[in-house]
């Protein structure tokens, strides 16, 4: 059995016996051998001496894969590796892994030294994080950082608060700290959840990241379950490869990897950095995963506004059903004190219907003096917040016209977003134009790139690229001549107009 298979086998045995809750609490799941080898193969090894870091090393599979790769490399003569791991139980495996690798090195002409550091990686390096003159100490970082949410005011990691915005997760603090410890031009390869690319809580981290590093490559897994299926992790995962540099590579490579990691699914796509790195408020990193998404991104990146700056806004329905149990009733008669409540079930196949007969979905909300959860009956584009994984479209919508319900106020349940114009009512042409935009496959594909989860968040919609109001009106007018506005027809209208 080869050494890496051996290392992998022992950690899988360890992992299967381990309490799941304990693993979750310390963000511990292990990288399969094939992924470790793939990540190692991304690093250019063209120096004589090299200093490597593996923070959160677990059993050391990542550093060991890289060390195996280096054994076959003609340039490198001297290697030092620092491995941080603060879990005593896995530490024993780490010692054994490095011991086995050292035996191999002893048979070669290369010199390997290593330091196993049983300490908290972040706390140990906080002084360096806060030192503006610190120039870095490693040439290569290879890491699968722990994944877990931290308390908002986690006092231990307060030192890194300059990159925290809202709820921190330890994995991006590991990425940031590792990059801080890299020398200029030093290389990094991380496997992490995808959420940092567009998630709201990662905004400050992204702002920092794009200034510090040159991102050369992203590798995306074709299936959501693939990379850590032995560990039963379903987080969407991504590999990022880059180097520490103030200059961004013009064309960023995006590679799709298949389930067995043996083949690339398709040819890599090379995307211009201006398309990937969005310099607007949320500093999104937009990584298309398919040719369709790439084309959509290219198309929509030319739109000059964001939905907000074009004068529109998306908000989330304010009525939370379980907080209003006593007020939501299964009645159909609208009065001054009983307003229609709009749920997911009222949106189907691009159309709005109310009331609908649906078990446990009550139609009317009773008002008690205060109407803070209701909104004025006006024209809105309704957008579902949640769609199931099986559904082909992420964005599901229905235009709502105020004459559809004879009422002054309406209630919108919390699983629905509604789009409106900030200073005035949406006109019929605007509503139709918005429907065409959001019903197109182009925008659906674009939104998949933009969204950090399977939810359709108001925040992500508000910051998406958007055309000018006059374009929306013109598109609406073009749509008037069609009886049926399928997604293909909507694509056709957008392609013809822009
Ligand atoms: C996601 S696992 C990855 C392990 C290994 N690198 C791999 O790829 O299989 C992250 C590891 O980081 C360790 N860890 C968690 N918090 C840490 C900390 N603050 N300092 C050092 N190690 C930590 C966990 O015990 C766990 O073994």
């Amino acid at each position: 059995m080869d050494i890496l298979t051996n290392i992998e086998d022992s950690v899988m045995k360890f992992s299967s016996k381990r309490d799941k809750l304990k693993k979750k609490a310390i963000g511990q799941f292990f990288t399969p051998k094939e992924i470790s080898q793939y990540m190692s193969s991304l690093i250019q090894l063209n120096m004589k001496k090299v200093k490597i870091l593996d923070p959160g090393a677990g059993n050391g599979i990542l550093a060991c894969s890289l060390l195996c790769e280096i054994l076959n490399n003609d340039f490198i003569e001297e290697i030092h590796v620092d491995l941080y791991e603060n879990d005593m139980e896995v530490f024993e495996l780490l010692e054994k892994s490095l011991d086995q690798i050292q035996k191999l090195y002893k048979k070669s002409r290369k010199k390997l030294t290593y330091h196993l550091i049983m300490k908290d990686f972040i706390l140990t390096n906080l002084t360096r994080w806060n030192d503006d003159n610190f120039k870095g100490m490693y040439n290569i970082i290879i890491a699968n950082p722990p994944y877990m949410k931290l308390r908002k005011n986690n006092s231990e990691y307060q030192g890194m608060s300059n990159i925290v915005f809202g709820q921190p997760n330890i994995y991006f603090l590991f990425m940031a700290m590792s990059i801080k410890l890299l020398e200029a031009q030093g290389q990094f390869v991380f496997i992490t959840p995808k959420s940092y690319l567009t998630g709201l809580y990662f905004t400050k981290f992204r702002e920092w990241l794009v200034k510090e590093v040159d991102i050369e490559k992203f590798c995306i897994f074709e299936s959501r379950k693939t990379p850590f299926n032995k560990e039963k992790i379903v987080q969407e995962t991504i590999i990022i490869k880059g180097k520490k540099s103030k200059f961004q590579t013009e064309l960023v490579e995006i590679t799709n990897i298949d389930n067995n990691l043996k083949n690339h699914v398709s040819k890599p796509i090379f995307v211009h950095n201006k398309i990937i790195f969005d310099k607007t408020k949320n500093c999104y990193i937009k990584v298309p995963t398919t040719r369709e998404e790439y084309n959509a991104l290219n198309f929509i990146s030319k739109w000059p506004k964001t939905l907000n700056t074009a004068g529109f806004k998306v908000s989330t329905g304010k009525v939370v059903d379980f907080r209003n149990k006593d007020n939501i009733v299964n009645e159909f008669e609208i009065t001054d004190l009983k307003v229609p409540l709009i749920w997911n079930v009222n949106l189907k196949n691009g159309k709005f219907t109310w009331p609908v007969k649906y078990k446990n979905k009550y139609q009317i909300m009773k008002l008690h003096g205060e109407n803070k959860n209701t909104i004025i009956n006006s024209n809105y584009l309704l957008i579902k917040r949640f769609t199931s994984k099986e559904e082909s479209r992420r964005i599901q919508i229905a235009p709502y016209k105020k004459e559809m319900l004879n009422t002054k106020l309406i209630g919108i349940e919390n699983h629905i977003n509604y789009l409106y114009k900030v200073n005035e009512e949406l006109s019929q042409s605007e509503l139709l134009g918005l429907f065409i935009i959001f019903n197109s496959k182009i925008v659906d594909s674009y939104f998949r790139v933009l969204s950090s989860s399977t939810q359709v968040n108001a925040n992500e919609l508000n910051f998406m690229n958007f055309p000018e109001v006059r374009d929306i009106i013109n598109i609406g007018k073009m749509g008037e001549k069609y009886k049926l506005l399928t997604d293909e027809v909507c694509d056709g209208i957008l392609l013809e107009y822009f």
Side-chain angles (χ1 to χ4, degrees):
M1 195 188 282
D2 76 87
I3 198 164
L4 291 178
T5 312
N6 210 350
I7 291 173
E8 185 186 39
D9 278 1
S10 52
V11 86
M12 284 304 153
K13 273 184 208 139
F14 166 87
S15 180
S16 62
K17 285 188 204 137
R18 198 144 207 215
D19 178 32
K20 280 202 186 100
L21 289 177
K22 167 78 186 173
K23 281 174 57 173
K24 204 172 166 202
I26 59 172
Q28 189 172 66
F29 47 93
F30 300 102
T31 314
K33 179 183 100 173
E34 290 81 7
I35 296 185
S36 309
Q37 288 174 315
Y38 181 73
M39 287 170 69
S40 307
S41 74
L42 300 178
I43 299 201
Q44 282 125 35
L45 301 169
N46 49 9
M47 55 294 250
K48 270 196 164 176
K49 261 174 121 177
V50 65
K51 212 169 162 201
I52 302 168
L53 169 69
D54 181 349
N59 64 331
I61 185 99
L62 292 177
C64 290
S65 299
L66 185 57
L67 288 170
C68 287
E69 182 96 12
I70 292 176
L71 264 181
N72 299 320
N73 171 276
D74 293 336
F75 291 102
I76 301 183
E77 293 167 2
E78 239 183 279
I79 308 107
H80 178 82
V81 192
D82 281 343
L83 302 103
Y84 283 82
E85 175 54 61
N86 69 350
D87 170 28
M88 232 168 59
E89 291 180 46
V90 80
F91 203 79
E92 273 177 42
L93 292 182
L94 183 60
E95 283 174 325
K96 279 189 194 148
S97 307
L98 268 294
D99 196 43
Q100 291 178 62
I101 294 281
Q102 184 62 288
K103 283 186 184 129
L104 282 185
Y105 268 75
K106 288 264 154 72
K107 291 181 201 154
S108 79
R109 273 187 283 150
K110 297 184 194 287
K111 186 178 166 218
L112 168 67
T113 55
Y114 60 84
H115 188 192
L116 307 184
I117 307 167
M118 202 165 117
K119 287 186 183 162
D120 183 307
F121 170 62
I122 304 281
L123 290 183
T124 312
N125 290 292
L126 267 185
T127 335
R128 290 177 177 136
W129 177 259
N130 291 309
D131 177 358
D132 291 340
N133 297 319
F134 179 69
K135 295 272 182 287
M137 56 199 279
Y138 298 105
N139 314 103
I140 298 175
I141 285 155
I142 185 159
N144 169 10
Y147 169 83
M148 62 195 171
K149 286 184 183 140
L150 298 173
R151 272 175 291 114
K152 204 169 173 181
N153 298 321
N154 183 304
S155 57
E156 285 165 289
Y157 299 159
Q158 273 295 307
M160 295 185 81
S161 59
N162 55 327
I163 54 160
V164 173
F165 175 73
Q167 171 96 56
N169 192 306
I170 195 170
Y171 87 81
F172 80 84
L173 299 183
F174 260 62
M175 289 171 84
M177 182 64 87
S178 306
I179 290 166
K180 175 78 185 183
L181 301 183
L182 260 189
E183 282 179 359
Q185 298 301 314
Q187 303 172 70
F188 61 85
V189 55
F190 297 110
I191 183 162
T192 66
K194 242 179 95 182
S195 45
Y196 72 92
L197 299 176
T198 55
L200 181 63
Y201 295 150
F202 302 86
T203 312
K204 276 197 183 176
F205 168 60
R206 283 193 295 273
E207 284 166 4
W208 177 88
L209 183 74
V210 294
K211 285 190 210 128
E212 294 294 317
V213 299
D214 171 14
I215 299 172
E216 299 163 320
K217 182 166 179 147
F218 289 104
C219 306
I220 293 143
F221 294 91
E222 201 195 12
S223 144
R224 271 191 87 184
K225 283 192 185 161
T226 308
F228 296 104
N229 55 2
K230 287 184 193 158
E231 292 277 62
K232 302 193 171 55
I233 298 287
V234 290
Q235 265 286 339
E236 280 193 86
T237 309
I238 193 160
I239 294 174
I240 179 172
K241 156 75 181 40
K243 59 177 186 280
K244 191 152 175 183
S245 165
K246 302 277 178 213
F247 301 99
Q248 177 56 52
T249 303
E250 205 173 325
L251 294 177
V252 181
E253 182 182 335
I254 297 168
T255 303
N256 246 299
I257 310 170
D258 81 354
N259 296 357
N260 310 314
L261 270 161
K262 298 273 186 282
N263 303 303
H264 295 169
V265 164
S266 53
K267 277 195 194 151
I269 310 173
F270 289 87
V271 188
H272 200 284
N273 65 40
K274 280 198 184 125
I275 291 179
I276 292 194
F277 304 109
D278 185 338
K279 297 278 155 58
T280 56
K281 196 171 161 234
N282 280 347
C283 205
Y284 287 137
I285 302 179
K286 298 175 186 166
V287 182
T289 60
T290 59
R291 178 72 46 190
E292 210 178 10
E293 287 179 3
Y294 168 68
N295 291 340
L297 202 56
N298 250 334
F299 186 79
I300 289 176
S301 295
K302 291 176 194 121
W303 288 354
K305 299 268 177 181
T306 66
L307 189 135
N308 273 178
T309 59
F312 302 95
K313 191 168 176 194
V314 177
S315 297
T316 301
K318 293 178 183 62
V319 182
V320 178
D321 59 348
F322 62 85
R323 291 202 195 116
N324 287 281
K325 266 190 180 140
D326 296 339
N327 300 333
I328 302 176
V329 290
N330 208 8
E331 296 174 13
F332 303 100
E333 196 195 346
I334 299 169
T335 69
D336 281 351
L337 289 175
K338 289 181 183 172
V339 302
L341 180 61
I342 297 173
W343 302 75
N344 259 348
V345 290
N346 300 112
L347 280 67
K348 206 168 180 194
N349 300 332
K351 289 208 170 66
F352 173 82
T353 323
W354 188 99
V356 286
K357 283 199 177 129
Y358 204 86
K359 210 172 120 201
N360 298 334
K361 295 284 178 206
Y362 300 116
Q363 316 283 334
I364 287 280
M365 191 167 81
K366 289 196 268 179
L367 303 180
H368 299 281
E370 255 188 287
N371 299 332
K372 61 180 182 332
N373 285 335
T374 55
I375 56 170
I376 300 288
N377 184 20
S378 181
N379 299 330
Y380 298 106
L381 186 76
L382 303 173
I383 308 169
K384 284 190 187 178
R385 271 181 71 202
F386 298 89
T387 44
S388 72
K389 262 189 275 158
E390 295 73 42
E391 285 172 295
S392 61
R393 287 189 60 92
R394 181 75 58 91
I395 296 188
Q396 299 200 18
I397 52 167
Y400 171 79
K401 295 181 190 164
K402 63 179 178 188
E403 56 273 18
M404 287 172 161
L405 295 171
N406 184 15
T407 174
K408 281 191 197 127
L409 298 171
I410 52 173
I412 299 198
E413 201 270 337
N414 193 245
H415 287 69
I416 305 248
N417 292 313
Y418 56 101
L419 192 165
Y420 51 99
K421 212 166 173 188
V422 180
N423 294 324
E424 54 190 318
E425 188 167 86
L426 282 177
S427 70
Q428 300 290 338
S429 306
E430 283 167 339
L431 187 58
L432 190 57
L434 289 167
F435 175 83
I436 292 167
I437 289 173
F438 282 98
N439 197 42
S440 68
K441 283 200 253 176
I442 300 175
V443 167
D444 195 62
S445 296
Y446 169 81
F447 193 75
R448 279 170 201 274
V449 180
L450 209 66
S451 70
S452 55
S453 67
T454 48
Q455 279 190 38
V456 178
N457 290 322
N459 183 61
E460 283 157 2
L461 291 167
N462 280 321
F463 287 101
M464 64 181 275
N465 285 61
F466 223 63
E468 308 265 4
V469 174
R470 62 165 185 274
D471 299 322
I472 295 165
I473 296 171
N474 290 340
I475 290 166
K477 287 188 176 145
M478 280 168 79
E480 283 167 12
K481 63 175 185 246
Y482 293 90
K483 270 201 181 132
L484 201 60
L485 282 165
T486 60
D487 48 7
E488 273 115 12
V489 172
C490 295
D491 274 358
I493 295 176
L494 294 189
L495 291 169
E496 189 186 330
Y497 184 80
F498 289 104

